[in-house]
Structures are given as structure tokens and as C-alpha cells.
Amino acid sequence: MLLFSLTLLQASVACLVTGPLLWVLLSLAQRRWPALAAQRSVWLVAQLVLAAVFVLPLLPDTRQLSVVPELSVPVSLAGAAPDVQLAMAGPAVGLPPTASWLALVPSAWGLIYLLGVAWTAWRWQRGHAMLRSLLQLAQRRRLHGMDVLEVAAPISPMLVGVWRPRLLLPAHLAQFTPEQQQLVIAHELTHARRRDPVLLLLANMLQALLWFNPAARWLAGQLAWAQELGCDRQVLAGRPPRQRQQYAAALVRQLGLQAQPLPGLAFGGGGMAERLLRMRDGQARPSTALRVLTALLLCAIGAASLALQPALAWAVAAAPASMLAAPALLRNPLDSMRVTGFFGVVRELTPQGHRGIDLGARRGTPVHAAADGIASVSEDARLGKAVRIDHGAGVASLYAHLDRVTLTTGMAVTAGQGIGTVGATGLATGPHLHFEVTRDGRLQDPQQWLAGLDANATARALRMRKEQFGH
């Protein structure tokens, strides 16, 4: 659990660093191309990129996202690692007071983060409780040929609901001219056609997830602003100047009548001065190439932030092998086993007999430790990138031809822990895992240590073994 808290703290810091980068990029782009302000897709992609920088490192088996070496966290930092069972654990070593306090920081941040999410959710729930109270007071009426809800409250015309939004109008809308009423209703119906309530719900969820990041709040506000500008543009498209003036007059009048805004898509949202200028001058749509380029730059910032976050893993100083207990049986090194070559079989590449077994798999398939032990990493022309794990009592396992190694020499590993990915490095004809077992330095048939190999072997591998060994 402590390791997850450390990863949460690291992901939070990366998210906070990424936020200003997105803010600078989008602010410069918006200054150069003002039409980007009305593009929902740009602001939504930016929010998703920021969320990905925070969420993806917290998911299991995401070490492949990072291009920096895995960061080994000393077990002594916390006094013990509850999620790591170490057979070689010795007497606990006292920690200096400073280290003890540092070990509490990740757990404290985890608690603060959960409280922040709960607080954000409570505020969201409180806002919607106010909306439900208004809906109970609202009366149905027919306006301009459609059914609406009307309430005697100083609110802005708005859509209420996500999947089947309803139009909630203030009673003071009756003071507007019929033409202004039609334009206001057209604005809200445009929100519904554009599925803006769904985007608003997604933005609220992302904001709750990233409550600690000011950039997330800014992006959510920019998305809401883009929704209002987009609806203004569609409603006013092709309309004469007189109707544009009526629309602007309705906005000014609404802002003077409404009280504190409620959660939802409201006609009176956003800054009045800029909206009025855009209504007068019109809004141009940015080119598709510009929108794609902006999205690619946003994704590049997110990818760089993910790639530069090191994966975390427990590490202890290597202990003598005599302190480790020998495993009775090994765990399968791959989640899906497919034996393509058995132990001892003579082939063109193994004239002295195959030293282990070959397991066919796609490049990038995760490889897991077969048992607890101490790892050592090597690379040569024959085995390529390889990991050897000393399991104690003279038993060791070898994993060769790896594409990527996710640990360092001297690290303590547990059965099932990811140690790398399948590849074709060294002397290999294609992506596969070469797996060996030794005891007291002598090669062992892995079939004595792994269960069910025959049932998961290819017909060719079984035939070659039978031809050479008769079974």
C-alpha cells in the first residue's frame, strides 16, 4: 500500500508540472488563433491528457510507459513493505527521525487526496440538490410550441439532466420580447443537440479526480466557455444584424436578472464583454489542420510527462543465498504459456542440447518472476537482455531474450512480480522467452518445476522431443 501511495504522490507531482505546460501552450495558441476558444475538442483533449498523466501510472503493469530506469525504493524507508513478502527479511533496522517523517508523507497525501475527492463530490451533490429543489417548485407550461419548466427564481435559462435534458426557464423570461425568448430557447436546444450535458458531466468527473490541480479547474472553465461560444455561433449563423442585436440584448438583460449560477449549461454563463464582441464581429472556425496540430502537441506533452515518470519498486540489499528457502514449485513466467521448445532437445542453434525451454509470445508480453528471490541483470550477444533470480538453497531461474527489463541488479522480487517483457534480443530467431532452471549450478529440466507444460506445448515441440527422447 505504501508503494501505491508513493506512486500516487509521484503522479500528482507530474500532473501539477504538466498543468502549467498545457496552460502556456493553449494560452499562446489562443492568443495567436482566437477561434480556438470556441473549440470544445481542444479543451476536452487537454483535460483528458492531464487526467492520463495522473491515472495511467497508477494502473498495474504500466512500466512500459516509462523510458527512464525503474526507481528502487528502499524497504527500510517504511521500516517494512507490507505488500512485499521477503523470505530474506532480517532484523528491522531503526530509522532516523527524518526518514520516519518522510515515510509518512505519501500516506498523508493519499488521505488528503481522498478527502479532496469527497469534498468535491459533496459540493457537486449540494449544487444538484439545489437544482432538484427548483425542479420541485417548477411548473410545466407551453412556450413557443414546446413544453418547458418554469420557476419563479432569479436563475439563468438552463438545461437540467444529462441523457434526457429538460429546459428550465425563469419566470422573468416573460419580460423578454418573443423574438428574444425564441433565441434564448434556441441557444439551450443547441446545447442539447451538441450533447454538451454529457461533456459537462465528463468535465466535472475529471475536475473531481484532479481537484488539487489549478490547471484542471482552468481547463474545465475553458471547456464551459467554449460550449457557450459554440452555441452562440450556431444560433447566430446566417441571422441578420437585427436578430444579433436582440440576442445580445437578451444576454445583457439576463445577466442583470440572474443570481449566483447553478451547475448546468446556462444561457447567461461566461464573460459578457467578449461574448458581445464575438456576436458583433462573428466567429470564424479554425481549420481542421490547426485543431489536429493543437491536439497532437497536447498529446506530446502528455506522452512526455508519462514517459519521464519512473516506475517504483521495492528494493533491498542482496542477502546471502543461504537465507532463502528453496521453492517447492515455480510459478509460470508468462500468463499464457505456449511451449515451442523442450529441455535437452538438439536443434541447429543448440547442438549440445537445449539448456531450458522456449515459450512463444508476442513482443512486449509481460514476464513474471517464477518465485521470490534476488535479481541480477545482464546482457550479452547470446542471451541478449536477461534476468537471473536466485531463489535460495542453490535454486535459480533465468529469463533471456527480453525486450525490456524493469528492475536492477540486487533488487528483491516476489513470485509473480513483473521483471520485463518478451523480446528477441541476443541470438534469437523471433520473439520468445528462453527460461532456464539451475540447482547448485547444474541445469534442471524446467518441466520438473513448472506444471502443465505438455498441455500447453505446440505439436512440433512435442514431436521433436518424442523423436529424440521417446516420450
Side-chain angles (χ1 to χ4, degrees):
M1 190 65 186
L2 180 60
L3 193 61
F4 179 82
S5 298
L6 282 167
T7 306
L8 175 66
L9 180 59
Q10 175 184 273
S12 302
V13 172
C15 183
L16 287 170
V17 172
T18 305
L21 298 178
L22 296 177
W23 180 82
V24 169
L25 171 65
L26 291 172
S27 296
L28 292 176
Q30 193 176 189
R31 184 177 300 178
R32 177 64 179 84
W33 299 286
L36 283 178
Q39 294 303 306
R40 298 175 302 169
S41 57
V42 171
W43 305 106
L44 181 61
V45 168
Q47 284 185 282
L48 293 174
V49 166
L50 198 60
V53 170
F54 176 70
V55 172
L56 290 182
L58 304 178
L59 301 179
D61 296 326
T62 53
R63 291 183 175 89
Q64 300 91 328
L65 298 175
S66 177
V67 298
V68 298
E70 188 174 60
L71 182 61
S72 302
V73 180
V75 171
S76 58
L77 180 65
D83 53 344
V84 178
Q85 300 174 0
L86 299 176
M88 74 295 294
V93 179
L95 289 174
T98 303
S100 299
W101 280 106
L102 288 176
L104 294 176
V105 171
S107 299
W109 169 243
L111 179 60
I112 293 172
Y113 175 77
L114 292 177
L115 291 175
V117 172
W119 170 256
T120 306
W122 177 79
R123 291 185 59 189
W124 181 84
Q125 180 64 25
R126 187 181 64 172
H128 280 266
M130 296 173 62
L131 271 181
R132 287 193 294 269
S133 299
L134 285 177
L135 289 175
Q136 292 175 357
L137 299 174
Q139 297 179 347
R140 292 183 179 274
R141 62 168 295 197
R142 195 160 183 83
L143 184 64
H144 298 291
M146 64 179 300
D147 293 326
V148 299
L149 296 174
E150 185 179 82
V151 63
I155 64 169
S156 175
M158 65 176 61
L159 288 178
V160 179
V162 177
W163 309 113
R164 299 181 62 182
R166 292 173 290 176
L167 186 54
L168 180 64
L169 300 177
H172 65 243
L173 195 65
Q175 303 173 19
F176 291 28
T177 67
E179 189 173 33
Q180 289 175 341
Q181 293 177 8
Q182 290 179 347
L183 290 170
V184 169
I185 293 174
H187 177 95
E188 297 305 323
L189 294 181
T190 301
H191 276 307
R193 285 194 300 270
R194 286 157 50 99
R195 301 292 183 186
D196 280 344
V198 178
L199 294 184
L200 180 64
L201 175 63
L202 177 60
N204 286 335
M205 294 172 61
L206 293 176
Q207 197 171 357
L209 187 71
L210 306 175
W211 63 266
F212 59 90
N213 196 329
R217 293 191 293 275
W218 178 73
L219 290 172
Q222 292 297 116
L223 176 60
W225 177 233
Q227 290 176 323
E228 297 302 324
L229 293 180
C231 286
D232 289 345
R233 182 180 59 207
Q234 290 194 17
V235 170
L236 296 176
R239 294 186 183 269
R242 183 182 58 81
Q243 289 188 336
R244 288 178 175 271
Q245 292 173 0
Q246 289 290 320
Y247 190 83
L251 174 61
V252 173
R253 193 169 186 179
Q254 174 57 46
L255 289 173
L257 293 171
Q258 72 186 38
Q260 183 177 0
L262 293 170
L265 292 163
F267 173 71
M272 180 176 66
E274 186 175 351
R275 285 182 72 177
L276 292 177
L277 287 175
R278 289 175 181 268
M279 291 175 195
R280 185 194 66 185
D281 302 333
Q283 299 184 53
R285 289 180 63 90
S287 65
T288 302
L290 175 59
R291 284 179 286 171
V292 171
L293 176 61
T294 305
L296 289 176
L297 289 175
L298 293 173
C299 292
I301 291 176
S305 299
L306 283 171
L308 295 177
Q309 290 189 59
L312 303 178
W314 292 117
V316 298
S322 59
M323 297 179 64
L324 299 173
L329 198 65
L330 298 180
R331 179 198 186 279
N332 288 339
L334 300 180
D335 291 332
S336 180
M337 299 282 283
R338 186 171 70 91
V339 182
T340 58
F342 281 101
F343 177 79
V345 172
V346 175
R347 298 179 298 184
E348 182 178 353
L349 294 178
T350 57
Q352 304 299 321
H354 196 206
R355 297 173 58 87
I357 60 172
D358 285 341
L359 302 171
R362 292 183 178 181
R363 187 188 305 272
T365 301
V367 179
H368 307 283
D372 299 351
I374 302 297
S376 58
V377 179
S378 63
E379 183 173 2
D380 60 40
R382 183 174 68 87
L383 295 176
K385 295 180 180 178
V387 173
R388 182 182 182 276
I389 301 179
D390 187 348
H391 302 297
V395 179
S397 57
L398 178 74
Y399 314 76
H401 307 306
L402 300 177
D403 183 63
R404 192 161 177 265
V405 175
T406 58
L407 40 71
T408 55
T409 297
M411 285 184 57
V413 298
T414 57
Q417 178 181 331
I419 62 172
T421 58
V422 170
T425 56
L427 191 59
T429 57
H432 73 283
L433 174 67
H434 175 77
F435 180 75
E436 294 182 9
V437 179
T438 58
R439 187 160 199 170
D440 297 327
R442 297 181 180 180
L443 289 171
Q444 302 274 303
D445 186 348
Q447 197 155 16
Q448 301 173 6
W449 298 84
L450 299 173
L453 292 186
D454 282 7
N456 295 294
T458 63
R460 183 174 182 272
L462 291 170
R463 185 177 65 254
M464 290 187 66
R465 187 185 64 180
K466 185 173 184 179
E467 289 174 354
Q468 297 185 25
F469 300 106
H471 61 84

